[in-house]
Each structure stands twice: as C-alpha cells, then as structure tokens.
Amino acid sequence: MSNEFVHSVTVPRIYKITADIVRRVREDGASLKTLIYEKKHPNVAGIYGLAVNVLQALPQLDQLFDKTQILTEQPRLNPWLARVLITELLWRKRCLKNRSKPVLTVLAYENKLREESINLGYIKTFVDHKDKVKTFSFMVLIIRNCRILSSRQNKQVKIGDLQDYQSRPCHQESIYNKKNNCAMGPAAVLGTLFLYSIAMFTLPFAAFFMIQRFMILEFQTDTAVTNYISVLAAVITVNLIISCYVYQALNEPVEEKEQIKRPRYVRVNTLLLSVEEAISFFQQDGWQLLPKSTTHSSYLQSLSQLSKPYFIQDLHIPEMLAFPPSTIFHDHSGYRNGKLILQDKASSLPVHLLNPISGSTVLDMCAAPGMKATHVAAKLQNNGKIYAVEIDAKRFKTLLTQIEKTHALCVEPLNQDVLTLDPKLYSHVEYILVDPTCSGSGIIDRPKQSEMDGTPEPKRLKNLQSFQVYLLRYALFNFPNAKRITYSTCSLHPEENEEVVDEVLANVGNAYRLLPVRQLLKNDWTNFSSKKYNCEDLCLYSRPDDDFCNGFFVAVFERNFDVTLPKCKLKGGNEYSMNLIGTNLNIKKDDMAKTSAHQQEKCEKKKKKKKKEEKKVISMSDEQMKISADIVEFEVPDIDSKIKAKSKKEIEKMDVCNDSFNFNKALNESKDIQEETLDVMETKKSRKKRKSKHENTLQETDYDEKEQNKEIEVELPKIKKKKENKGIKIDKIHKIEQAEETVIGPSKKRKKSKEIY
C-alpha cells in the first residue's frame, strides 16, 4: 500500500506541481525555469513565485519540522507538499482554503507551526519587515523622486528612431557611464530632501491656518467647525503631495531603473534551419528585424532599448538572435522541434572562439546538458567527430535528449569520467572544450535559494579551483595533437578564472600560448581579465551589467608544435599516471608484506589450537580407556556366573583361558582406541559431532550386549542336558567362546564405527 494520502478531495494542482519542482531542484539539481515550463501550467508566474519562496524558506521549514514533529506523527504526508503548504500558510496567503487531507493535516498543526515560527523569529521578521516598509515608504518615494528629478544624459528613445539614435556620437558611449550620469552631487540631494521636508511640514500648516482665517472672516463659523474644516484641508494637502510623489515614481522611465533586464537570446540550429530562413519565419510572425549594428557600443545600445516587436542579429555570433527580455519561446514550434535553441550568448562564446574546422575531431570534457556539443556539431555541419563526455547519469540522459532533438549526428556521447579516458585512444583529438563545474556566480536569472547565494565561500572556491586546474592540466598535457583548447566558466571569481589559468601556464611552458581574445573578436569587446595576473588582459569576461548576458570567463589556449610538451608529474600531467602506477605498486608490496605477516600469525595461532586439541583428545582417550576397562570388568563376572553349569575342571580351565584372553584383548583394544583417537584428531571435526558419535556407539554396544546375554541364557540349559556327548560339549564350548567374543565385540564395533566416521 502506498505511503501517501488517497485523496477524496484533490489537492490543488499548483501545489502538487510546485512540490515536484522544488524536489527536483533540490535533489536532482535541475533548472527551476525549465521545470516550470515543462509542466505547462497556465499560472506560470504563481508557480515560480511559490517555488522561489519555498526554496528560500527550506532551512526554516526543516527547523519547523523538527520542532512540531509533523512528519514523524504523519508519515503518510508528502514532505515536499508539506513544505509548500506551510509556506503558503505562514508567509504567503496566510490561509489554506482547500479541504483535502494534506491541507487538513497541515491546518491541524497550524497553531503549533505559528507558535514555533514566532519562537524562531520568522513571522516576527516578516511583520517587522512590513512595518518597516510602511514606515519608510514615504522616504523611499522621496529618494526615488530625487533620482527622477536629477538630470541625466540618457533619455528614452522610441524604437522607431533607434537607428538615428545610434548614429549620434554623444550617445554611443553613454551606456558605460551610468554611474556618472547623475548631475546632482550629495550636497544637492540633501538640499533637495531638506526642501521636500520643509514643504511636507509647512504646506499643511499653511493650509490649516489659511482655511481657519478664511472661515472666521468670511463665514464667522463656530470654533469647532472652523477647526474641523482646517484639519481637513491640511490632510488633503498632505495627500496631494504624496500623490505627486507616487505618480512621479510610478512613471519613472524603464531605462532609469537600476535592474538591467537581459534580452532573450535564441540560437538557430543551422543543422535544421538556416539563419536567413529563421529570420524570414520570425518576420512572418510579425517581428521586425533591426539593422545590424556596426560597433559593439551601438549594439549594446540597441539591446538596452529592445522591445516588441523588434529583434536583432548578434554582432559576434551570426546564428544568435536577440529578442526583448520577456519573450517566451517554450511553446514555439521551432523550439519544440529543435530548430531553435534557447541559449545565452555568453555560453556560446567558447564554441565561437574555439572555431573548429569542418572535418576535425572535438572533445567536450563536461558535455551536459549538450548546448556546446550541439553548437560544435552545427559549426561542423555534422562533418567530423565530437566526443561528448559526461560522468553524471541523470545529466547524461539530458545530453542524449538534446543530441537527438538537434539531430547532431556527429556527436558520440560517453557516460564516464573524462579523467579515465585513455589518451592513446583519443590522441587524434584536435579541439577541446573545458567547461568544468564552477560556482555559477555569473548567472543572473537564477533565483536565490538562501541568503548565502552569491557570496563566495573560500573552502568551496578552493575545492573548485583544484578540480578546475586538474581538468585543464589533463587536457593540455594528455592530448598531443590538440590545436586549440578553450577554458570557460560561468563564474566571476578570479579564483576560478585567472588564478587557474596562471597556475596551468606555469606548468605548460611555451608549448601553449594564450590567444588574445580582443583580436579574435576584432576589438568589439570591453571586458577582459585583470592585468595584475600573468594572463594579463588576454582572456574574456562577460559582465551582466555591461554586456547584457550572463557572467562568463573564457580563455583560449593554442598549441605551439615547435616546442615539445614538458613532462609534468603534477595532478593531471602526462606523467601523473606513471606516478600513480608506481605508488600503486609500492602499496601492493606493502600490502603483500602485511598479508604475509598476517598469515604467519594465523599459522602460529592454528598450531596453538592444534596443541590444545591434541591435549583434549588425549584426555578423551583416557576416559574412553576407563570406560572400556569398566565394560570388560562388568562383562567377565557375568560370563563366569553363567557357565557354572559345566563341569568344574573344564569350566575352571576355560575361565582361566577366557580371563587371560579377555584381559589381553582389552589391552589391545585400549591401544586401538588411542590410535583411533589420534586419527580422529587429524580429521579436525568438531567436538560435538565426536561426542554424539561416541554416545551412539555406546548405545549400540548396550543393545548388542543385551541380545548376547539372552542367547547365553537360552544355550546354558541345553548344555546341561547333553553332558554325556563330548562332541556336543566341545561344540557348545565353542559357542560359548563365540559368545564371549561377542561380549567383547562391542569394542571392535566401536572401532569399525570410528573408522567409518
């Protein structure tokens, strides 16, 4: 039976979808926006807002679970659905109107949840924040008003006049000087605020006294009526001033807002559709193509002013098209059939700078989700070979779907660790993409899941840096025919960028050189690496505030075949594997020595155990000898008493012979028993089995003895009746001898049984 509720009243679909999205984001590391658009729910904005709030409140929710024990007391409640419902109850709508079982379960714990949240300070912080917003909202409006009233160089330009606007020299460099656009200094701002505060306090009082005097002089009303009307006039004056501030703040131009919105980039999959065909299809849909920019500054200005129904072709990457920020393509037919790829411009720069030649062999060392590998396939037009390596199984599935969707036939996916590739089997690789795991600090549209998002952690950056150096060094040293290698990250931290490049350059010597990205992009770029590092400004940075795309870092290494690759024993170097083999051999030798010593100790322990077992067996043999002697002593007098019917002379002779004969046999049997016990010791059987066998043999001897005694009692009267016949007497005497032998026979039977055992 399932562990979840069987709902008589269904849970709202938005809660179910949000719970599944949040689970996959946290457990699988999936993209939040991709999952939201996959669900195809009509309320995309509601799901996005709820999912972001749940992700931000996950630490608080875990503490609430520990305090209230809701999950332990209600094991059938889905924990991710519970997180969504509690977030909705405590911090969003503050109520749950549905009557399904999960909702009723959460509502049953509502008082506990609210009490614990107040004790932990979560609701209090939320309320305090709202109070602060109410208290300082008026001051915020004043400050924003000051910013609006301040003189700026940039003015809003209509999209139709964009071409003329780009040609004006006074506006071409304005986008880079946003921080210096404000003509008002600090003193001017404070003076303006002082004037505003005076106006806020003086105008209401002026209105109050003017109305009061007017009412007294003109209408001669009572004092109470005059005061009421004067106060009303003052309140109206205050509200009018506030309304003016609000109106100016709400009508602030879009270009003056602090947050920069990134345009929606679309890469045309040239394996299925040409760029010209894609542009014509968009124009048939009602979009209008802006003229292609000639300089980087004019292109950036076009992006900053981009709005519907206009789009523009990228300045650097011809197959990249830029649309207004809020354009949605997830339902577009071109996106569904793989003709259009939703890819940011920054992530397409490494492939553009790698620039592989048609028919070449390319290695993508960290291929998932497949954007770069399929971009390379489009560059090669499926004429060549691409090895797309991905170690993670789930991300490898995403890679496979992307390859199939884009018809990238020259891509060979490999689900393994790239560091385990045999360089001899892939020595023909000519171009390599190195895009390792990074902090992702350059991605601007990723929702914050905690307060620590965006703040670098030194330990995590150090661990990432060591892995990035390892991977880049492995690419440079182990593929001798590689012509060009690009190293890229979606991070803005120098620990993952310039410091990694500097460390590897110190190892590789002159066998590789950094290509100046400025020349590769024909000087149409503005942000580069810092000159304080050894790589200087040869690497590329894309910054969201300046380049209208995600933050990215790209370094391009080119092979110098005139210089042989140096030998490197460091981690990832070409001789690092030999060092590993040597260390492994030494480890094996140490292990062999340890195992031999351990085996000697085991042998000594076994010898000691054998000695102990021998002592125990000897003691057991002594006991068995005593038992056999007792049996002999017990059996002999019985035989004597039973043979008294014979003649005294013959019987006395027979008794003497029998006694001597029995005594000698008993001694021999005791010797046999000792030999048998030594044989038993060599078989190394357990004591319990020996005891059980011994007891069985004793029971068999007792049973045989009783049967033989009965036979003797039957034979003795017959011997008395036939005393006269000597032959008969002799026969009977032989029978009695046989009977005596059978009495002593159990010891021989024991011997046989032990031999069988």
Side-chain angles (χ1 to χ4, degrees), residues 287-301:
W287 292 92
Q288 298 181 24
L289 180 66
L290 292 175
K292 193 171 183 178
S293 302
T294 55
T295 61
H296 186 51
S297 60
S298 62
Y299 174 69
L300 293 178
Q301 189 62 44

Side-chain angles (χ1 to χ4, degrees), residues 390-404:
E390 178 56 44
I391 186 173
D392 187 71
K394 292 182 179 178
R395 291 172 60 83
F396 184 72
K397 292 180 181 178
T398 307
L399 173 65
L400 293 178
T401 56
Q402 185 68 16
I403 292 171
E404 183 180 0

Side-chain angles (χ1 to χ4, degrees), residues 38 43 67 161 186 240 315 325 337 410 434 462 475 503 522 707 735:
E38 280 180 357
N43 190 7
K67 295 290 184 181
D161 301 329
L240 287 174
L315 175 66
N337 56 29
C410 64
V434 183
K462 193 68 178 176
E503 185 173 351
K522 300 177 182 179
E707 289 182 349
K735 289 181 180 180

Side-chain angles (χ1 to χ4, degrees), residues 134-185:
K134 293 179 180 178
T135 305
F136 296 104
S137 59
F138 181 69
M139 187 60 67
V140 171
L141 290 173
I142 293 176
I143 295 172
R144 292 188 70 186
N145 235 344
C146 293
R147 189 163 56 85
I148 293 169
L149 294 176
S150 62
S151 60
R152 294 179 182 271
Q153 295 178 2
N154 291 335
K155 302 296 179 183
Q156 188 173 7
V157 181
K158 293 183 179 180
I159 199 73
D161 301 329
L162 188 60
Q163 187 175 3
D164 297 335
Y165 182 84
Q166 293 173 359
S167 61
R168 299 175 189 172
C170 61
H171 292 293
Q172 289 183 355
E173 302 297 331
S174 61
I175 194 168
Y176 307 116
N177 300 318
K178 288 184 178 180
K179 295 182 180 179
N180 300 321
N181 281 339
C182 184
M184 296 179 66

Side-chain angles (χ1 to χ4, degrees), residues 105-293:
T105 303
V106 173
L107 289 176
Y109 288 82
E110 181 178 3
N111 295 330
K112 286 185 179 180
L113 290 169
R114 292 192 185 279
E115 289 176 3
E116 295 297 336
S117 61
I118 291 172
N119 294 333
L120 295 172
Y122 301 140
I123 291 182
K124 184 177 180 181
T125 303
F126 182 79
V127 173
D128 289 345
H129 177 69
K130 293 188 74 175
D131 293 338
K132 289 178 183 178
V133 171
K134 293 179 180 178
T135 305
F136 296 104
S137 59
F138 181 69
M139 187 60 67
V140 171
L141 290 173
I142 293 176
I143 295 172
R144 292 188 70 186
N145 235 344
C146 293
R147 189 163 56 85
I148 293 169
L149 294 176
S150 62
S151 60
R152 294 179 182 271
Q153 295 178 2
N154 291 335
K155 302 296 179 183
Q156 188 173 7
V157 181
K158 293 183 179 180
I159 199 73
D161 301 329
L162 188 60
Q163 187 175 3
D164 297 335
Y165 182 84
Q166 293 173 359
S167 61
R168 299 175 189 172
C170 61
H171 292 293
Q172 289 183 355
E173 302 297 331
S174 61
I175 194 168
Y176 307 116
N177 300 318
K178 288 184 178 180
K179 295 182 180 179
N180 300 321
N181 281 339
C182 184
M184 296 179 66
V189 172
L190 292 175
T192 305
L193 287 175
F194 180 71
L195 292 176
Y196 281 172
S197 63
I198 292 175
M200 284 297 299
F201 285 102
T202 56
L203 289 178
F205 280 107
F208 176 81
F209 288 112
M210 288 176 63
I211 295 296
Q212 189 180 37
R213 184 171 181 77
F214 178 76
M215 294 294 293
I216 292 173
L217 294 177
E218 294 294 333
F219 299 100
Q220 297 179 355
T221 57
D222 295 337
T223 304
V225 176
T226 303
N227 290 335
Y228 291 151
I229 296 175
S230 301
V231 170
L232 180 62
V235 171
I236 293 172
T237 304
V238 172
N239 290 329
L240 287 174
I241 295 172
I242 294 174
S243 299
C244 292
Y245 293 154
V246 172
Y247 176 79
Q248 290 179 342
L250 293 177
N251 287 276
E252 179 184 0
V254 177
E255 66 182 13
E256 301 295 336
K257 292 185 179 179
E258 295 178 358
Q259 186 178 4
I260 298 174
K261 290 187 177 181
R262 179 173 56 93
R264 168 63 74 181
Y265 290 99
V266 176
R267 179 171 63 84
V268 180
N269 183 13
T270 54
L271 293 173
L272 303 176
L273 188 70
S274 65
V275 177
E276 292 75 14
E277 291 175 344
I279 292 173
S280 64
F281 287 156
F282 283 120
Q283 288 176 341
Q284 292 175 7
D285 292 339
W287 292 92
Q288 298 181 24
L289 180 66
L290 292 175
K292 193 171 183 178
S293 302

Side-chain angles (χ1 to χ4, degrees), residues 699-713:
Q699 290 176 359
E700 290 176 359
T701 56
D702 293 337
Y703 180 76
D704 294 334
E705 288 169 2
K706 290 178 180 180
E707 289 182 349
Q708 290 171 2
N709 291 330
K710 289 179 181 179
E711 291 177 358
I712 291 169
E713 290 175 356

Side-chain angles (χ1 to χ4, degrees), residues 45-81:
I47 293 177
Y48 182 80
L50 181 57
V52 170
N53 289 334
V54 174
L55 290 169
Q56 291 174 348
L58 282 178
Q60 294 89 333
L61 291 170
D62 292 338
Q63 291 185 6
L64 288 177
F65 286 160
D66 294 336
K67 295 290 184 181
T68 59
Q69 297 296 316
I70 183 173
L71 294 181
T72 56
E73 295 176 2
Q74 303 293 333
R76 296 177 63 195
L77 181 62
N78 188 334
W80 293 104
L81 182 59

